[in-house]
Amino acid sequence: MVSVLGLTLCVLTYKIFSIEMSFLNILIYLLLVILFLTLAFLAYYDIKKMEVHNTLSFILMAILLIVNIVLFFVFKNNLDIKIIRDRIYNPYENMIGALILGSIFQLLVLLSKEKALGQGDVRIAIIAGLLIGYTNLMYWGYITVFSALIYGLIIGIKKREIKGVKIPFVPFMMLGVIVLLLYFF
């Protein structure tokens, strides 16, 4: 886990500072480092305890929601906010992505009666939607589901039982978010 986080931060450092050294780039870099560390802690907590850290996930979700709402109202005439290179941050797309992912995951929680996913996973899905937007949901879904599937199969083969294998899902959700954020930055 530490090596993956280290590699992620190295890639982020290279991508941000290969452009130019400016105050905005340094600020974005620091915000992304804090975000990645928070996401890594949420994934680590899920691996260790098989549950989502309630307080941290709620705080992160609330902060991201507030940031997107404020940016939506500040830039209401031009919602395509250019950040680094040609990376566009669109708070409207992010809120729609959060609504779609939150709804899908809440439906899965209700249908499985919290046996497959829990309310913490719904918060993490909302966080993912607020970070990647609805245009990247398919990519996120592929990365998340297939990485979790491969991991689950490996664990199942090692235990010699595929049915009923329990795996933490947050690390794979965060993997999808981090891969997409690194790809687009």
Side-chain angles (χ1 to χ4, degrees):
M1 183 68 151
V2 174
S3 60
V4 171
L5 183 61
L7 179 64
T8 302
L9 293 178
C10 287
V11 170
L12 178 66
T13 304
Y14 172 75
K15 289 189 127 201
I16 296 282
F17 293 121
S18 66
I19 304 165
E20 67 180 66
M21 291 290 278
S22 69
F23 178 74
L24 180 63
N25 285 357
I26 293 171
L27 181 65
I28 290 171
Y29 173 76
L30 292 175
L31 290 174
L32 285 173
V33 166
I34 292 169
L35 177 69
F36 286 174
L37 289 173
T38 306
L39 297 177
F41 177 78
L42 286 170
Y44 175 77
Y45 191 86
D46 191 32
I47 289 169
K48 290 297 182 190
K49 300 203 178 198
M50 291 295 285
E51 64 183 40
V52 177
H53 193 282
N54 288 329
T55 307
L56 186 59
S57 63
F58 184 77
I59 290 170
L60 182 60
M61 181 183 71
I63 289 171
L64 289 172
L65 187 60
I66 290 168
V67 165
N68 279 290
I69 289 171
V70 167
L71 290 175
F72 178 78
F73 285 114
V74 169
F75 293 99
K76 59 184 160 191
N77 294 331
N78 184 16
L79 286 178
D80 289 339
I81 304 165
K82 205 173 219 183
I83 300 177
I84 295 176
R85 293 185 186 154
D86 291 331
R87 170 72 166 122
I88 301 295
Y89 187 87
N90 189 320
Y92 178 75
E93 285 185 9
N94 294 349
M95 289 188 286
I96 297 292
L99 184 65
I100 291 169
L101 276 181
S103 300
I104 291 170
F105 273 70
Q106 185 63 46
L107 184 64
L108 290 171
V109 167
L110 293 174
L111 290 176
S112 71
K113 298 178 182 161
E114 290 198 28
K115 294 199 188 286
L117 297 170
Q119 290 299 327
D121 295 314
V122 175
R123 281 192 305 277
I124 300 297
I126 291 170
I127 290 168
L130 287 169
L131 289 170
I132 62 171
Y134 76 86
T135 55
N136 297 315
L137 289 183
M138 291 298 285
Y139 301 121
W140 177 84
Y142 287 135
I143 294 168
T144 301
V145 169
F146 286 118
S147 60
L149 177 69
I150 292 168
Y151 178 77
L153 286 174
I154 291 170
I155 296 298
I157 290 170
K158 283 184 177 180
K159 290 184 175 183
R160 298 189 191 274
E161 185 179 341
I162 300 287
K163 188 177 179 182
V165 172
K166 292 186 179 188
I167 61 168
F169 197 53
V170 173
F172 304 104
M173 295 167 74
M174 295 299 104
L175 175 69
V177 169
I178 289 172
V179 165
L180 286 172
L181 287 177
L182 285 177
Y183 178 74
F184 289 113
F185 268 102

